[in-house]
Amino acid sequence: MAKKNEEKRMPEEPVQEEPRQEAEKTAEPAAEKPEQQASDALRVKAEKLEEELKTLKEQHLRTLAEYDNFRKRTEREKAGIYNDATIAAICALLPVADNLDRALEQKECSAEDLRRGVEMVSKQLVDSLKKLGVEEMAGVGEEFNPDLHNAVSHIEDDTLDENVISAVFQKGYLLGDKVVRHAMVQVAN
C-alpha cells in the first residue's frame, strides 16, 4: 500500500507543481505587460508633447516676426502720414508766399496800393488756414478763458465787465478743439 500511495503521490506532485509554475510563468508576463504598456504610453505621450512644443515654438517665432514687421510698417506709415500732412499745409500756404514775393517785386507803388495788396495777402492767408481747419480766436469783448488765452496784462475799466478781454496783442489759433497757439490778451477788471 505504501507503494500505491507513493505511486499516487508521485504523479500528483508534478501535477500540482506544474499549474503553479504555469501560473508563475503567466503571472510574470502579465506583470510586465502593464508596466511595458505604461512605459509605452508615457513614451507616446512624451513624443506628442515634444511635437506640440515644437509646433508652439514655431508659431511663437512666426508671431514675433509678424509683430516686428507690423511695428516697422506702422512706423513707416506714421512718418508717411506726417510728411503728407506737412506737404498739404505747405501747399496751402505757398500761394500766400508767392503773393508776398510779388508785392516785394513792385518798384513803384503808392502806400494805398501797398496796403490794399497786404490786406489781400492777409485775407488769402486766413482763407488758407481755414482750409486747413485752423481758426482764429480771442476777440476784444470776449470772456477770458485761461485754457485759450494767455493774460499778459490787466487793466481797470468801468466800461467793460469783469474778466473780459480788453485788447489782443497776439491772435490765438485753434485746430478743431486743440489750441495751436494761445492768444496773448489784456484782461479788464
Side-chain angles (χ1 to χ4, degrees):
M1 248 205 220
K3 282 188 181 181
K4 282 185 185 179
N5 284 342
E6 284 179 23
E7 284 178 18
K8 284 184 184 176
R9 286 184 190 171
M10 294 281 259
E12 288 177 8
E13 287 179 10
V15 171
Q16 288 178 355
E17 286 181 22
E18 282 180 26
R20 191 183 304 162
Q21 288 176 355
E22 282 181 24
E24 287 175 7
K25 286 179 186 177
T26 56
E28 285 178 19
E32 287 180 14
K33 281 186 180 180
E35 288 175 6
Q36 188 176 13
Q37 287 175 352
S39 174
D40 289 345
L42 287 175
R43 190 175 308 115
V44 168
K45 189 174 182 179
E47 289 173 2
K48 285 181 182 178
L49 289 173
E50 286 177 7
E51 187 65 31
E52 186 179 340
L53 177 64
K54 182 180 176 184
T55 303
L56 290 174
K57 279 183 178 180
E58 289 174 6
Q59 286 177 347
H60 178 69
L61 289 175
R62 274 191 236 115
T63 303
L64 286 176
E66 287 176 18
Y67 175 74
D68 191 44
N69 291 339
F70 170 76
R71 186 182 49 79
K72 289 176 183 175
R73 184 177 60 247
T74 303
E75 287 174 7
R76 283 191 307 269
E77 288 173 358
K78 282 182 184 179
I81 290 169
Y82 176 79
N83 289 338
D84 291 345
T86 303
I87 289 170
I90 291 169
C91 287
L93 297 175
L94 284 177
V96 175
D98 293 339
N99 284 336
L100 286 172
D101 287 340
R102 286 186 198 107
L104 291 173
E105 288 174 1
Q106 298 299 314
K107 300 281 183 198
E108 296 179 23
C109 66
S110 66
E112 187 177 315
D113 289 339
L114 186 59
R115 180 171 178 79
R116 195 172 43 209
V118 171
E119 286 173 352
M120 289 170 56
V121 172
S122 178
K123 183 183 178 327
Q124 186 181 24
L125 177 61
V126 170
D127 291 342
S128 295
L129 290 174
K130 281 185 181 179
K131 285 180 185 176
L132 294 173
V134 178
E135 294 186 23
E136 293 179 11
M137 64 172 166
V140 174
E142 291 182 15
E143 187 174 335
F144 174 75
N145 182 346
D147 294 332
L148 305 175
H149 311 121
N150 183 12
V152 293
S153 69
H154 180 270
I155 63 164
E156 294 293 329
D157 189 346
D158 294 334
T159 61
L160 294 172
D161 292 334
E162 189 174 331
N163 243 5
V164 172
I165 297 170
S166 60
V168 177
F169 301 121
Q170 187 178 48
K171 291 181 183 178
Y173 294 93
L174 289 170
L175 178 62
D177 292 340
K178 189 172 182 172
V179 175
V180 176
R181 181 174 77 184
H182 291 82
M184 266 199 286
V185 298
Q186 181 181 52
V187 181
N189 303 323

